[in-house]
Amino acid sequence: MSAEILGGNLLREVKEEGFDELLESLRTLETSVSPTGLKPVDHLIQIFHNPHNVHNIPSVQLQQQETPQVPIPPVLELTGATACSGKTQLLYQIITHALLPAHHGTIPLDGKSSAVILLDLSSKLSLLRLRDIMVAHIAACAITAVSPTPPSQEIKALIHASLLHLHIFRPQSSTSLLATLASLPAYFFSKPFTHFSAPRHISAIILADLSAFYWQDRLNAADPSASIATHVIDDDHQRALISTLRALQATFSRCPVIATTASLSTQSALPSSGNHRALRPHMPAVWTSFVTVQIVLERVAIAKFAPGISAQEAGAERTMRQDVVMRGERRGWVNWWGEGRWREETREGVRAWEKAWGGGFGVWIRDGVRVGSEG
């Protein structure tokens, strides 16, 4: 075979890729490696969302296709097992990682310099609290890097520039939510741009308090008198919501969807799964099957005084109890409800994750938020 023929054959095997496609692949890689910026949460998502477990195409079939099928983007649900569980605070920390840059001067901030779509369905999120968490995060990163904390005005300017890329929407009903989601491509891509995030990719679509419209939707459902246990709700609406979110994930570089929900149930054990903890989901089954992984958050309980304890002994425990309260500790654990649908390798991965994190990861809420270890 001549060099000319060999060169021609090799050239035909080269797949052309535009610069925009290269940027898209890099953005997708960044999103898939660190969807939230929180180590224990991202590790857990990888366990449930391993691309090798999603679709395994034989090599012969790959030769017949231009590109292999991409894995489905992850969907993370945060729910609370107790009041003040910390799920909203965890959400603020995820947004902090998404908006801030990777570095500020010599200080590594572990940020993504991305944009976030936030749907505040109960209109309860606080930008002031988000700002405080961002300030605390920058200060903590400076301490870790053994660098001077930037001046307050410099931090203020950095946070202001970052918050320009947080796009907040507050629909007032499920119908309004669907309409808002459907309008997002036009909002982000129509020219001239009415926002500052054109150069950035979308890091996440966040639905804060997705269960806010639960009772309103039940009243509008075909059978509003059904019992709570049956979770009767308009499945057509839920399917429309899921379809719209999937389309948006495809539009916005396969970004993750992150939702917070409330819980109506008390936790229970699953004997068949080795007494792993499970919490009945608030949302209907059609939504639950859409979720990649559900993390349950709860406040760490303070043990009651032992019966017959003396006043002196109670006083000795006072400092310890106050310390526990001041630490603001929460715990996040995997919800094993519906684990019958998991693959065996997923169960093994979750068991290994639980062993590594002591059954679940810690969330410490003070001026800022620490995740994984008290640090």
Side-chain angles (χ1 to χ4, degrees), residues 106-282:
T106 60
I107 304 174
L109 298 179
D110 298 325
K112 302 180 183 178
S113 293
S114 61
V116 172
I117 299 171
L118 173 60
L119 295 113
D120 183 7
L121 306 185
S122 58
S123 301
K124 292 181 180 178
L125 297 185
S126 169
L127 284 177
L128 293 178
R129 176 56 181 158
L130 173 59
R131 180 204 61 188
D132 291 343
I133 289 176
M134 295 176 78
V135 170
H137 177 78
I138 295 170
C141 289
I143 293 173
T144 302
V146 195
S147 297
T149 302
S152 59
Q153 289 300 318
E154 187 177 333
I155 293 178
K156 182 178 179 181
L158 173 61
I159 292 176
H160 175 75
S162 299
L163 287 176
L164 291 175
H165 303 284
L166 176 61
H167 302 272
I168 304 175
F169 304 88
R170 293 190 170 96
Q172 301 300 307
S173 67
S174 294
T175 302
S176 175
L177 170 60
L178 285 175
T180 302
L181 291 172
S183 69
L184 290 178
Y187 168 76
F188 279 99
F189 298 136
S190 295
K191 297 181 180 180
F193 295 118
T194 58
H195 57 83
F196 298 95
S197 300
R200 296 194 174 199
H201 73 281
I202 305 298
S203 180
I205 300 172
I206 297 176
L207 298 98
D209 199 3
L210 183 59
S211 48
F213 306 137
Y214 179 83
W215 295 109
Q216 181 179 339
D217 288 340
R218 281 183 57 82
L219 290 173
N220 296 332
D223 186 10
S225 62
S227 64
I228 296 176
T230 59
H231 288 267
V232 175
I233 202 167
D234 187 357
D235 282 354
D236 289 339
H237 167 78
Q238 290 294 315
R239 292 189 181 94
L241 173 62
I242 291 169
S243 176
T244 303
L245 289 172
R246 279 289 183 230
L248 288 174
Q249 286 183 303
T251 300
F252 297 126
S253 304
R254 294 182 284 280
C255 66
V257 166
I258 303 172
T260 63
T261 60
S263 174
L264 297 179
S265 307
T266 56
Q267 57 185 284
S268 59
L270 296 178
S272 60
S273 300
N275 292 323
H276 292 287
R277 302 170 75 183
L279 192 72
R280 182 167 191 160
H282 184 157

Side-chain angles (χ1 to χ4, degrees), residues 11 46 80 95 128 176 180 184 294 297 320:
L11 185 61
Q46 290 174 11
I95 295 172
L128 293 178
S176 175
T180 302
L184 290 178
Q294 185 185 67
L297 290 145
M320 179 191 66

Side-chain angles (χ1 to χ4, degrees), residues 11-24:
L11 185 61
R12 282 190 292 272
E13 294 178 4
V14 176
K15 179 181 180 296
E16 293 185 4
E17 184 175 38
F19 184 66
D20 57 339
E21 294 175 299
L22 176 60
L23 288 177
E24 174 74 9

